[in-house]
Amino acid sequence: MCGIVGYVGLHEEDAVPFLLEGLKKLEYRGYDSAGLSICKEGQLINRRAVGKLRALEANVSDNPLSSHIGIAHTRWATHGKPNERNCHPITSETIAVVHNGIIENFADLKDNLKQQGYVFYSDTDTEVITAILSKSLEQGHDIESAFSELRKSIQGHYSLAFIYSHEPDTIYVTRQGCPLCLGKAEGGVMIASDAMALELRARNVCYLEDGDYAVITKDNIRICDNANNCVTRHYHAISHLHKPSDKGNYRHYMLKEIHEQPEIVNQVLGKYIYQPDKKINLPELSFNPKDISHIVLCGCGTAYYAALIAKYWLEKYAKITVSVEVGSELRYTDMPFKKDMVGVFISQSGETLDTLSAMRKFKENGVKTLTIVNVPQSTIMREADTVLEIYAGQEIGVASTKAMMCQLVTLALFAIQMGVLRDIITPSYSEQLIDELYLVPRLINKALQNEGDIANFAKKMSKKDNIIFVGRHIAYPLALEGALKLKEISYIHAEGYIAGELKHGPLALLDEETPVVAIAPQSIAYEKTMSNISEAVSRGCELIFLSDTDVKDEFTNNVIFSIKMPKRRQMSLYICLFYN
Ligand code: M6R
């Protein structure tokens, strides 16, 4: 995911350090190149480097530069390879642009501009922004008219910022679908695509709304909406989530975040459970649970898998029809929207565009929305009718761990409370389930005691090319999540399958070289899962066995690693399962 930062202020020496510091804060989002532009004596100066941020930092330290204004970017290649030519800022002689998101009509715009003689130097969609602005200036328009022309021409979802060498005290920004925020620092104004980049220097942050644009100098911030009306957008205190965090003694943030889970789960439970009588105390819902007949759960990636798990809980404890949708696909469905539906949107960042767009589709159709979200003041949090925060704290690791855990705990509480409010389960049964949830931190701690063995085993597995995860029933989403994490972190090809689906095609992939991770807790699906595991065993697969039962005799020769899960309990088992 790309990142934008910018600064305009009083002092020459301020912009470049802020830009580099801001980019560093956004590194956690992933990127493959970085760059910055400043304006000095009426000229743009640009620096770009492929690879890690330290390449750009080295470039700047070998050949220092300073200015009171600048913009910078970390890029994840989408249009055009990750090379220097495509690295942002994308510039013309007088304009430098940084951009997140995608300009969907860029091909048509590019053809048109080429016909008018504009020469393109990069393969990016972003360059049409530079081109439209430059062309409009050449035609004699002033920069504000050129900016207005730009906003009318481009379609898609984006946030962008640019500087113009003839107006070296101003940053221009706009957003449509991707986040952009502002913060006031001593002596200047900062912009960023993520408030985390502002945390060291600003106390408050102001989020632009979709369609807003802003013209920013060190002394003045003019924000206008889509219809060109000047508007006031409020400043919010930068939450603790945006405050600096270090990785302590851990080797990396993901490890730290995995180890934070027991404490954080306790905190989430503490936020939502009123201890004296073990009652769940959620924020006021914008709908009456008794009037609801259908819940649509929606998220992307890990959040989608959390939704798949929650479906079982909502159906079981609240007896409600649940469907689960991937955010990026929901907008293409012809789902019939009904008044007795609720859409539940799950997102750690609260900024995932596909989830946000899906949520907006529900709102446009008059359906109530609820979000299970982590980052305070994120767009999804601001726009949902009901907000259930997951209180996971800052998640810096790209691979979601503690956030998924907190999503599950919050979803579990939501399911139980829906059951109580719909008179499906009794308060005393709800108390029993809450007791189960209170076991989770201890069980995670216990699971973490296996860390050394797991790490040793992981070294052996790191030589493998393919690994298959299987599970049935509620263990199926866990198989999907296991495979996703493995791909994301180790770059080993992995797939998660419903164990019962192996025989419908995927068995062709199984052989002695392809280990199978079998997630097989005692459940209604246990015996069936065992038969499916036999299918893998008969193809000579090595097995990694996760269960609360002993490995069956007939599998022992194939099992190369096993993890004993805690005995089956109502719900906590499934929260801990993957992390065991
Ligand atoms: O911020 P979100 O929860 O909306 O992000 C959705 C996915 O991109 C995210 O869950 C992703 O799949 C995980 N980081 C993978 O570990």
PDB file of all heavy atoms in Angstrom, residues 316-317 416 420 424-434 570:
ATOM      1  N   LYS A 316     -25.492 -20.077  15.382  1.00  0.00           N
ATOM      2  CA  LYS A 316     -25.721 -20.981  16.515  1.00  0.00           C
ATOM      3  C   LYS A 316     -26.378 -20.251  17.702  1.00  0.00           C
ATOM      4  O   LYS A 316     -27.335 -20.729  18.280  1.00  0.00           O
ATOM      5  CB  LYS A 316     -24.372 -21.560  16.939  1.00  0.00           C
ATOM      6  CG  LYS A 316     -24.462 -22.477  18.119  1.00  0.00           C
ATOM      7  CD  LYS A 316     -23.185 -23.258  18.301  1.00  0.00           C
ATOM      8  CE  LYS A 316     -23.318 -24.104  19.550  1.00  0.00           C
ATOM      9  NZ  LYS A 316     -22.337 -25.111  19.678  1.00  0.00           N
ATOM     10  N   TYR A 317     -25.833 -19.101  18.059  1.00  0.00           N
ATOM     11  CA  TYR A 317     -26.288 -18.462  19.308  1.00  0.00           C
ATOM     12  C   TYR A 317     -27.427 -17.462  19.104  1.00  0.00           C
ATOM     13  O   TYR A 317     -28.142 -17.154  20.036  1.00  0.00           O
ATOM     14  CB  TYR A 317     -25.114 -17.772  20.011  1.00  0.00           C
ATOM     15  CG  TYR A 317     -24.014 -18.749  20.358  1.00  0.00           C
ATOM     16  CD1 TYR A 317     -22.749 -18.625  19.798  1.00  0.00           C
ATOM     17  CD2 TYR A 317     -24.249 -19.811  21.234  1.00  0.00           C
ATOM     18  CE1 TYR A 317     -21.744 -19.539  20.097  1.00  0.00           C
ATOM     19  CE2 TYR A 317     -23.266 -20.728  21.533  1.00  0.00           C
ATOM     20  CZ  TYR A 317     -22.010 -20.595  20.969  1.00  0.00           C
ATOM     21  OH  TYR A 317     -21.030 -21.502  21.252  1.00  0.00           O
ATOM     22  N   ILE A 416     -23.088 -13.480  20.974  1.00  0.00           N
ATOM     23  CA  ILE A 416     -23.741 -13.875  22.242  1.00  0.00           C
ATOM     24  C   ILE A 416     -24.833 -12.854  22.595  1.00  0.00           C
ATOM     25  O   ILE A 416     -25.963 -13.196  22.937  1.00  0.00           O
ATOM     26  CB  ILE A 416     -22.723 -13.957  23.395  1.00  0.00           C
ATOM     27  CG1 ILE A 416     -21.660 -15.016  23.097  1.00  0.00           C
ATOM     28  CG2 ILE A 416     -23.410 -14.265  24.723  1.00  0.00           C
ATOM     29  CD1 ILE A 416     -20.472 -14.997  24.063  1.00  0.00           C
ATOM     30  N   VAL A 420     -28.872 -13.168  23.193  1.00  0.00           N
ATOM     31  CA  VAL A 420     -29.619 -12.772  24.399  1.00  0.00           C
ATOM     32  C   VAL A 420     -30.749 -11.813  24.016  1.00  0.00           C
ATOM     33  O   VAL A 420     -31.908 -11.994  24.424  1.00  0.00           O
ATOM     34  CB  VAL A 420     -28.663 -12.111  25.427  1.00  0.00           C
ATOM     35  CG1 VAL A 420     -29.442 -11.524  26.600  1.00  0.00           C
ATOM     36  CG2 VAL A 420     -27.622 -13.103  25.918  1.00  0.00           C
ATOM     37  N   ILE A 424     -32.877 -15.933  22.256  1.00  0.00           N
ATOM     38  CA  ILE A 424     -32.508 -17.274  21.766  1.00  0.00           C
ATOM     39  C   ILE A 424     -31.727 -18.002  22.858  1.00  0.00           C
ATOM     40  O   ILE A 424     -31.905 -19.191  23.067  1.00  0.00           O
ATOM     41  CB  ILE A 424     -31.640 -17.187  20.477  1.00  0.00           C
ATOM     42  CG1 ILE A 424     -32.313 -16.332  19.413  1.00  0.00           C
ATOM     43  CG2 ILE A 424     -31.280 -18.593  19.967  1.00  0.00           C
ATOM     44  CD1 ILE A 424     -33.575 -16.912  18.836  1.00  0.00           C
ATOM     45  N   ILE A 425     -30.833 -17.280  23.531  1.00  0.00           N
ATOM     46  CA  ILE A 425     -30.120 -17.924  24.640  1.00  0.00           C
ATOM     47  C   ILE A 425     -30.435 -17.182  25.939  1.00  0.00           C
ATOM     48  O   ILE A 425     -30.752 -15.986  25.916  1.00  0.00           O
ATOM     49  CB  ILE A 425     -28.590 -17.997  24.401  1.00  0.00           C
ATOM     50  CG1 ILE A 425     -27.976 -16.591  24.236  1.00  0.00           C
ATOM     51  CG2 ILE A 425     -28.239 -18.862  23.206  1.00  0.00           C
ATOM     52  CD1 ILE A 425     -26.457 -16.619  24.164  1.00  0.00           C
ATOM     53  N   THR A 426     -30.311 -17.898  27.016  1.00  0.00           N
ATOM     54  CA  THR A 426     -30.651 -17.295  28.299  1.00  0.00           C
ATOM     55  C   THR A 426     -29.451 -16.513  28.832  1.00  0.00           C
ATOM     56  O   THR A 426     -28.305 -16.812  28.474  1.00  0.00           O
ATOM     57  CB  THR A 426     -30.976 -18.380  29.337  1.00  0.00           C
ATOM     58  OG1 THR A 426     -29.806 -19.196  29.469  1.00  0.00           O
ATOM     59  CG2 THR A 426     -32.166 -19.220  28.918  1.00  0.00           C
ATOM     60  N   PRO A 427     -29.700 -15.557  29.731  1.00  0.00           N
ATOM     61  CA  PRO A 427     -28.571 -14.838  30.326  1.00  0.00           C
ATOM     62  C   PRO A 427     -27.598 -15.789  31.007  1.00  0.00           C
ATOM     63  O   PRO A 427     -26.388 -15.572  30.976  1.00  0.00           O
ATOM     64  CB  PRO A 427     -29.235 -13.890  31.325  1.00  0.00           C
ATOM     65  CG  PRO A 427     -30.600 -13.675  30.764  1.00  0.00           C
ATOM     66  CD  PRO A 427     -30.984 -14.970  30.097  1.00  0.00           C
ATOM     67  N   SER A 428     -28.095 -16.870  31.568  1.00  0.00           N
ATOM     68  CA  SER A 428     -27.138 -17.737  32.275  1.00  0.00           C
ATOM     69  C   SER A 428     -26.264 -18.507  31.271  1.00  0.00           C
ATOM     70  O   SER A 428     -25.086 -18.743  31.517  1.00  0.00           O
ATOM     71  CB  SER A 428     -27.832 -18.660  33.263  1.00  0.00           C
ATOM     72  OG  SER A 428     -28.459 -19.685  32.577  1.00  0.00           O
ATOM     73  N   TYR A 429     -26.821 -18.862  30.123  1.00  0.00           N
ATOM     74  CA  TYR A 429     -25.987 -19.493  29.094  1.00  0.00           C
ATOM     75  C   TYR A 429     -24.965 -18.482  28.569  1.00  0.00           C
ATOM     76  O   TYR A 429     -23.794 -18.811  28.340  1.00  0.00           O
ATOM     77  CB  TYR A 429     -26.886 -20.009  27.959  1.00  0.00           C
ATOM     78  CG  TYR A 429     -26.133 -20.834  26.937  1.00  0.00           C
ATOM     79  CD1 TYR A 429     -25.173 -21.767  27.323  1.00  0.00           C
ATOM     80  CD2 TYR A 429     -26.389 -20.688  25.575  1.00  0.00           C
ATOM     81  CE1 TYR A 429     -24.486 -22.521  26.378  1.00  0.00           C
ATOM     82  CE2 TYR A 429     -25.702 -21.444  24.627  1.00  0.00           C
ATOM     83  CZ  TYR A 429     -24.750 -22.348  25.040  1.00  0.00           C
ATOM     84  OH  TYR A 429     -24.068 -23.093  24.114  1.00  0.00           O
ATOM     85  N   SER A 430     -25.402 -17.241  28.427  1.00  0.00           N
ATOM     86  CA  SER A 430     -24.469 -16.189  27.996  1.00  0.00           C
ATOM     87  C   SER A 430     -23.303 -16.099  28.984  1.00  0.00           C
ATOM     88  O   SER A 430     -22.136 -15.977  28.587  1.00  0.00           O
ATOM     89  CB  SER A 430     -25.235 -14.857  27.890  1.00  0.00           C
ATOM     90  OG  SER A 430     -24.384 -13.783  28.078  1.00  0.00           O
ATOM     91  N   GLU A 431     -23.620 -16.203  30.281  1.00  0.00           N
ATOM     92  CA  GLU A 431     -22.543 -16.144  31.299  1.00  0.00           C
ATOM     93  C   GLU A 431     -21.550 -17.284  31.124  1.00  0.00           C
ATOM     94  O   GLU A 431     -20.348 -17.105  31.242  1.00  0.00           O
ATOM     95  CB  GLU A 431     -23.135 -16.220  32.705  1.00  0.00           C
ATOM     96  CG  GLU A 431     -23.556 -14.861  33.208  1.00  0.00           C
ATOM     97  CD  GLU A 431     -24.193 -14.972  34.575  1.00  0.00           C
ATOM     98  OE1 GLU A 431     -23.731 -15.791  35.384  1.00  0.00           O
ATOM     99  OE2 GLU A 431     -25.169 -14.231  34.817  1.00  0.00           O
ATOM    100  N   GLN A 432     -22.088 -18.460  30.808  1.00  0.00           N
ATOM    101  CA  GLN A 432     -21.179 -19.612  30.601  1.00  0.00           C
ATOM    102  C   GLN A 432     -20.240 -19.343  29.427  1.00  0.00           C
ATOM    103  O   GLN A 432     -19.049 -19.645  29.475  1.00  0.00           O
ATOM    104  CB  GLN A 432     -21.994 -20.853  30.238  1.00  0.00           C
ATOM    105  CG  GLN A 432     -22.565 -21.597  31.390  1.00  0.00           C
ATOM    106  CD  GLN A 432     -23.415 -22.766  30.846  1.00  0.00           C
ATOM    107  OE1 GLN A 432     -23.047 -23.441  29.903  1.00  0.00           O
ATOM    108  NE2 GLN A 432     -24.569 -22.962  31.459  1.00  0.00           N
ATOM    109  N   LEU A 433     -20.819 -18.776  28.378  1.00  0.00           N
ATOM    110  CA  LEU A 433     -19.986 -18.499  27.193  1.00  0.00           C
ATOM    111  C   LEU A 433     -18.935 -17.434  27.524  1.00  0.00           C
ATOM    112  O   LEU A 433     -17.779 -17.511  27.069  1.00  0.00           O
ATOM    113  CB  LEU A 433     -20.861 -18.032  26.023  1.00  0.00           C
ATOM    114  CG  LEU A 433     -21.803 -19.096  25.458  1.00  0.00           C
ATOM    115  CD1 LEU A 433     -22.781 -18.488  24.458  1.00  0.00           C
ATOM    116  CD2 LEU A 433     -21.012 -20.213  24.788  1.00  0.00           C
ATOM    117  N   ILE A 434     -19.331 -16.471  28.329  1.00  0.00           N
ATOM    118  CA  ILE A 434     -18.377 -15.432  28.723  1.00  0.00           C
ATOM    119  C   ILE A 434     -17.247 -16.044  29.547  1.00  0.00           C
ATOM    120  O   ILE A 434     -16.071 -15.708  29.370  1.00  0.00           O
ATOM    121  CB  ILE A 434     -19.108 -14.302  29.472  1.00  0.00           C
ATOM    122  CG1 ILE A 434     -19.955 -13.529  28.457  1.00  0.00           C
ATOM    123  CG2 ILE A 434     -18.136 -13.358  30.165  1.00  0.00           C
ATOM    124  CD1 ILE A 434     -20.937 -12.588  29.075  1.00  0.00           C
ATOM    125  N   GLN A 570     -16.801 -24.399  24.227  1.00  0.00           N
ATOM    126  CA  GLN A 570     -17.805 -23.822  23.343  1.00  0.00           C
ATOM    127  C   GLN A 570     -17.211 -22.948  22.240  1.00  0.00           C
ATOM    128  O   GLN A 570     -17.402 -23.175  21.094  1.00  0.00           O
ATOM    129  CB  GLN A 570     -18.749 -22.942  24.162  1.00  0.00           C
ATOM    130  CG  GLN A 570     -19.637 -23.702  25.076  1.00  0.00           C
ATOM    131  CD  GLN A 570     -20.747 -24.379  24.309  1.00  0.00           C
ATOM    132  OE1 GLN A 570     -20.818 -24.295  23.099  1.00  0.00           O
ATOM    133  NE2 GLN A 570     -21.598 -25.075  25.010  1.00  0.00           N
TER     134      GLN A 570
END
